Amino acid sequence: MTDNLEEIFSFINENIDKDPLKLRLASNKTTNRDQIDFAITQIECRNKNKTKLSDFLANNRFVFPDSVSAQQSSHQGVATYHASLIKKGDIILDMTSGLGIDAFSMARKASRITAIDCDQNKVDALRHNCKILNISNLQAICTDSIELLRKTDETFDVIFIDPSRRDSANKRLFGLQDCSPDVIGNHELILQHGRRILIKASPMIDVSQTIRDLSNITAIRAVGIKGECKEILIEMKGVVDSVTDDRAPIRLQAVNLDNDGGIISDFHTIINNKNQIDYISETDSWEDCFLLEPSSMIMKISPWSEICQRFNAKKLDGPSHLFLTKDYNPDFPGRVSKFERIIKKQDRKTLAGLPLSVISRNYPVSTDELRKSLKLKEGDANFLYATRVCGKPVMLLTSFCQNR
């Protein structure tokens, strides 16, 4: 943070629509370079996060401690969803508050929230933003959150953790054991201080490995905005009140949200290794069938047997993750398209010039290579799926159906 905020806000308002690079070049010889740099960072962050943080940026005095915190912060819709998972009156610890979007959202329901960050600049920004957002039940503390847990006797209703996924060289990290704080190495300590623990992880995390690494998991949620998976949210039950039965089934969810955190679709099931996946056979009829392409959130939790049962569908092939059904399912969590025909090798030239969306799944040729070799135009109403059926490479032509 910096002094003379009124001058900085005035500069931001006057230059909000200007090119930040040109502003930096023009400010090279100014004496108050630090303040100008801070102001230009605010302009950059505001312009890059107009949709992601629109509700917070409606307040023109909201500040970003730096550009990295803006990039790594939760989407406001995801933060709203996080807040929906806590109970009114909960006492919450946010171990890695960063920009504070999750903490601010949860504070609207919480009795009290303690927001921790080891960067004093971020804590100063948290305190400033609390004031301008009229949040009075949030205490921002600059300390190491693991050390805080080791020293405190306090029990929290919810512990929220969004581990830093960057190393000292700003390289992206994905595994929980590589992030800071290390929730795997410290998970017993964390379980002792929280009744419920919510861990926000990268969409690239290995869900199966995470289940092996952590105990007391009650739910794993793949959370996305308008079809784009933003995170894997792991929920654990603490051992404050009683020891949890670690053999209890784990709830799996694929949640698709709009920009305001409203639920577009919510697919949920439990891990059940006893259910079988139904595969299509070479004798099955394709007439009057629909192709189901799961959303990116569904792909993260892999509930293939449940997809087969719930939507009366059959999987085309092991790694393809595409399904065929005779039932029209507008509520399917993903894309539904009407099967038209299989494209035989001798018919491929007839596709030249057609506007098609190309999807390559478990196929020896990439999407870009297919589009180029088949001389296709960009399209969004009809689809060419290059995949495998019963282990054999095939091309399937489908047409769009309205679904969520």
Side-chain angles (χ1 to χ4, degrees):
M1 289 288 287
T2 184
D3 298 326
N4 302 320
L5 282 177
E6 291 305 318
E7 293 181 14
I8 290 172
F9 290 136
S10 177
F11 180 91
I12 293 170
N13 291 333
E14 292 172 4
N15 297 279
I16 191 66
D17 294 323
K18 294 183 180 178
D19 184 345
L21 178 59
K22 292 181 179 179
L23 287 174
R24 291 193 188 280
L25 292 173
S27 67
N28 276 339
K29 297 180 180 180
T30 59
T31 56
N32 56 343
R33 181 64 186 271
D34 289 343
Q35 290 186 19
I36 296 297
D37 279 347
F38 181 79
I40 295 172
T41 296
Q42 302 307 303
I43 292 172
E44 288 177 323
C45 291
R46 282 183 165 271
N47 289 336
K48 289 179 180 179
N49 293 276
K50 286 180 179 179
T51 300
K52 179 181 177 181
L53 302 174
S54 60
D55 289 351
F56 294 92
L57 297 184
N59 191 312
N60 60 13
R61 276 172 160 63
F62 186 92
V63 300
F64 296 86
D66 50 53
S67 57
V68 174
S69 64
Q71 183 181 5
Q72 295 181 345
S73 73
S74 292
H75 187 289
Q76 66 179 26
V78 174
T80 297
Y81 178 72
H82 292 161
S84 75
L85 298 176
I86 72 168
K87 299 175 183 177
K88 188 172 181 61
D90 273 351
I91 296 173
I92 297 173
L93 173 66
D94 184 344
M95 291 181 62
T96 51
S97 54
L99 183 58
I101 301 303
D102 290 301
F104 298 147
S105 300
M106 288 187 284
R108 295 164 184 160
K109 289 179 68 178
S111 170
R112 171 168 58 87
I113 182 165
T114 302
I116 307 297
D117 203 284
C118 55
D119 184 334
Q120 185 64 56
N121 197 39
K122 290 184 175 67
V123 171
D124 290 343
L126 275 170
R127 290 169 178 166
H128 166 85
N129 287 331
C130 276
K131 291 179 181 178
I132 61 102
L133 294 172
N134 295 316
I135 295 173
S136 60
N137 62 338
L138 188 153
Q139 180 185 20
I141 302 175
C142 184
T143 189
D144 182 295
S145 56
I146 294 295
E147 288 303 313
L148 180 142
L149 285 184
R150 287 177 178 147
K151 294 176 181 178
T152 188
D153 293 327
E154 185 168 9
T155 294
F156 300 91
D157 295 309
V158 177
I159 295 178
F160 181 84
I161 317 170
D162 180 4
S164 175
R165 298 195 288 272
R166 299 288 180 120
D167 63 12
S168 57
N170 204 32
K171 181 181 178 182
R172 290 182 183 272
L173 304 171
F174 303 110
L176 285 176
Q177 71 278 3
D178 300 320
C179 300
S180 179
D182 176 4
V183 297
I184 294 177
N186 294 285
H187 87 283
E188 292 294 343
L189 173 67
I190 295 167
L191 290 174
Q192 290 169 11
H193 286 278
R195 292 185 172 84
R196 294 170 65 214
I197 295 89
L198 297 173
I199 303 172
K200 175 182 173 181
S202 164
M204 302 299 292
I205 197 171
D206 185 329
V207 171
S208 297
Q209 184 61 48
T210 299
I211 293 172
R212 291 191 290 269
D213 288 338
L214 295 172
S215 63
N216 287 22
I217 295 177
T218 57
I220 292 181
R221 301 174 174 94
V223 184
I225 297 287
K226 293 186 173 180
E228 180 184 355
C229 190
K230 296 293 186 180
E231 68 180 32
I232 301 297
L233 187 66
I234 304 150
E235 180 171 350
M236 300 188 296
K237 184 173 182 180
V239 295
V240 176
D241 299 320
S242 62
V243 177
T244 301
D245 181 3
D246 204 31
R247 296 168 298 176
I250 297 173
R251 179 184 177 89
L252 297 177
Q253 270 184 276
V255 185
N256 189 23
L257 307 170
D258 61 26
N259 284 325
D260 297 321
I263 294 178
I264 299 173
S265 65
D266 182 0
F267 178 96
H268 50 86
T269 183
I270 61 171
I271 292 179
N272 188 343
N273 296 324
K274 295 180 180 180
N275 289 347
Q276 297 296 313
I277 300 172
D278 295 326
Y279 288 94
I280 197 167
S281 71
E282 294 183 354
T283 59
D284 282 323
S285 171
W286 289 63
E287 188 176 357
D288 296 325
C289 285
F290 298 89
L291 194 71
L292 307 179
E293 180 188 358
S295 70
S296 61
M297 288 75 73
I298 290 289
M299 294 290 289
K300 300 300 179 181
I301 63 173
S302 308
W304 307 136
S305 60
E306 184 70 16
I307 291 288
C308 291
Q309 293 179 27
R310 193 175 301 186
F311 299 100
N312 190 28
K314 292 185 177 181
K315 210 164 188 273
L316 299 191
D317 197 73
S320 295
H321 306 316
L322 296 169
F323 298 80
L324 196 73
T325 177
K326 289 190 175 296
D327 300 333
Y328 175 53
N329 297 287
D331 293 331
F332 177 76
R335 180 185 288 126
V336 178
S337 58
K338 180 72 169 63
F339 171 75
E340 300 293 343
R341 59 191 173 97
I342 294 176
I343 303 298
K344 297 180 180 179
K345 192 171 184 179
Q346 61 268 27
D347 297 330
R348 293 182 182 180
K349 290 184 179 180
T350 63
L351 300 176
L354 293 180
L356 294 173
S357 294
V358 181
I359 299 98
S360 180
R361 286 273 186 91
N362 189 29
Y363 193 79
V365 182
S366 71
T367 295
D368 290 340
E369 290 173 325
L370 277 172
R371 180 174 295 284
K372 185 176 180 179
S373 65
L374 296 175
K375 300 178 182 179
L376 301 174
K377 294 181 180 179
E378 292 285 348
D380 58 7
N382 297 303
F383 304 88
L384 181 68
Y385 283 90
T387 185
R388 292 180 190 269
V389 176
C390 302
K392 300 176 182 177
V394 296
M395 290 186 187
L396 311 174
L397 191 66
T398 71
S399 56
F400 178 74
C401 294
Q402 182 64 43
N403 80 305
R404 297 191 294 178

